[in-house]
Amino acid sequence: MALITGLFAFLYHLPQIYKWLLKPYYVASFLMTIAFLVVRKAPGICEHLASQREDGNSCDFDWREVEILMFLSAIVMMKNRRAITLEQHIGNLFLFSKVANVILFFRLDIRLGILYLTLCVAFVMTCKPPLYMGPEYIKYFSDKTIDEELQRDSRITWIVEFYANWSSECQSFAPVFADLSLKYNCASLRFGKVDVGRYEEVSQRYRVSTSPLAKQLPSLVLFQGGREIMRRPMVDSKGRAVSWTFNEENIIREFNLNELFQKSKKLNKGRGDKEEEQNLSQPAEGSSELQPETIQPDQPKESKKDQ
């Protein structure tokens, strides 16, 4: 049953996976993931490699390599239990596959290990995961505009994401936050983002640590009237974030988005009714003032005989 479910999920996301293959980051990651498999199985190369197999077949995995690959599979499965999007699942697979490949190459030949490690460092420095460029109703703040926007109208509720472009967790969460903005954004419920990796003053002002050890990125903060009401993840006394899963269900439940959205719709409807009453009352008053000026004496009509 699990295999059938995985197969259907793969077929469902196949068009999206095909788009990924056109991006250099995912192409390079895929090639580096299968590098050891290609070297170990490629004819003309595998014959010259060392092996601990009893039959001396150097073109097949030995028992130690199988153990490492099984351990890799277990780690990927554990990490993917908390993954939200398909990008996170694929990212975890690529990351731990590269780590396993480094170990396997160093165990096979130290020269191959150094070469592969050098390629990994070059890849990290030159290739960055593509940023989310899909539809969204999100306002991006700077260090000069965030305070003004949050305090401009006390009737507007803001949900602000504090993120950094270098954080893989923030990049994986971007499509989830964008989807929430498309569903819940209205005149009295707004969504915003601020790059605390770029504006360090904002991170200090709103007490969001950008240290990878603190694990506070991304952070979602709910503001009403310019005041912070709640945030996720919460931070303990040592400045470390309490473990919390950034998926759509948790955000809707913890921040009461359905209730906030309904209140915002009622508030907007009340504003619209008041504006409509004002618009209706203004022409009535104007017509009474302009009525004497528009009345003109009856003009005598010419008879057919005069014409």
Side-chain angles (χ1 to χ4, degrees):
M1 188 65 184
L3 293 176
I4 297 176
T5 304
L7 178 61
F8 278 108
F10 175 78
L11 294 176
Y12 176 79
H13 292 98
L14 187 59
Q16 188 176 3
I17 295 174
Y18 177 75
K19 293 180 181 179
W20 289 348
L21 295 178
L22 301 179
K23 299 179 180 180
Y25 174 82
Y26 293 108
V27 173
S29 295
F30 177 75
L31 293 177
M32 296 186 67
T33 299
I34 64 173
F36 184 81
L37 175 64
V38 171
V39 171
R40 177 57 86 179
K41 294 291 185 178
I45 300 177
C46 62
E47 291 86 355
H48 305 284
L49 301 177
S51 177
Q52 295 182 3
R53 291 177 59 90
E54 296 179 357
D55 56 3
N57 184 10
S58 60
C59 293
D60 202 357
F61 299 112
D62 58 37
W63 65 274
R64 182 64 70 180
E65 293 170 348
V66 173
E67 282 187 351
I68 295 174
L69 293 175
M70 293 296 292
F71 185 66
L72 165 68
S73 302
I75 293 178
V76 171
M77 291 178 63
M78 292 177 60
K79 292 293 293 184
N80 281 343
R81 290 176 60 185
R82 297 185 59 188
I84 305 170
T85 61
L86 187 60
E87 289 89 342
Q88 285 182 312
H89 287 277
I90 301 297
N92 289 334
L93 178 61
F94 285 159
L95 174 62
F96 291 102
S97 296
K98 293 170 188 173
V99 174
N101 282 341
V102 170
I103 299 173
L104 291 170
F105 274 118
F106 269 105
R107 182 177 173 274
L108 183 64
D109 191 329
I110 190 172
R111 294 171 295 180
L112 294 176
I114 294 174
L115 176 61
Y116 186 82
L117 182 61
T118 304
L119 292 175
C120 289
V121 173
F123 173 80
V124 172
M125 296 179 63
T126 57
C127 294
K128 301 296 182 182
L131 300 176
Y132 176 77
M133 300 298 291
E136 59 184 19
Y137 288 141
I138 298 175
K139 185 176 183 61
Y140 287 81
F141 300 127
S142 66
D143 55 343
K144 299 179 180 178
T145 62
I146 182 171
D147 294 335
E148 179 183 355
E149 289 291 339
L150 295 179
Q151 299 174 5
R152 176 175 296 179
D153 193 342
S154 60
R155 295 171 296 182
I156 297 178
T157 300
W158 284 95
I159 299 179
V160 182
E161 177 194 355
F162 295 83
Y163 75 102
N165 283 327
W166 50 261
S167 172
S168 58
E169 289 80 5
C170 295
Q171 294 172 2
S172 301
F173 179 65
V176 178
F177 193 63
D179 188 53
L180 288 172
S181 70
L182 295 175
K183 293 179 180 179
Y184 291 97
N185 183 78
C186 59
S188 300
L189 180 60
R190 303 283 182 85
F191 291 79
K193 295 179 72 171
V194 57
D195 187 356
V196 292
R198 180 180 179 183
Y199 305 111
E200 296 182 0
E201 296 180 358
V202 176
S203 66
Q204 297 175 0
R205 194 184 314 159
Y206 290 92
R207 305 184 305 279
V208 178
S209 175
T210 57
S211 173
L213 299 177
K215 296 183 179 182
Q216 295 186 25
L217 296 179
S219 285
L220 286 183
V221 183
L222 178 68
F223 293 95
Q224 289 181 346
R227 296 184 298 105
E228 177 182 335
I229 304 300
M230 63 174 294
R231 72 168 59 197
R232 291 293 183 274
M234 295 185 292
V235 181
D236 59 16
S237 59
K238 298 181 179 180
R240 291 179 297 184
V242 179
S243 180
W244 195 73
T245 303
F246 279 89
N247 58 27
E248 187 171 331
E249 296 179 358
N250 286 348
I251 295 171
I252 294 173
R253 182 179 63 255
E254 293 289 332
F255 288 86
N256 296 323
L257 289 186
N258 291 323
E259 182 179 352
L260 290 174
F261 184 70
Q262 294 300 327
K263 289 182 179 180
S264 300
K265 287 177 63 177
K266 292 180 181 179
L267 181 60
N268 296 336
K269 185 178 180 181
R271 291 181 187 176
D273 294 340
K274 290 182 180 180
E275 292 178 357
E276 186 176 355
E277 292 177 359
Q278 293 177 358
N279 293 334
L280 291 175
S281 61
Q282 288 177 357
E285 295 175 356
S287 61
S288 62
E289 294 176 357
L290 295 175
Q291 187 175 0
E293 298 180 2
T294 57
I295 297 177
Q296 297 179 358
D298 295 337
Q299 299 294 336
K301 297 182 179 179
E302 295 180 347
S303 63
K304 293 183 179 179
K305 182 178 179 180
D306 295 333
Q307 292 177 357

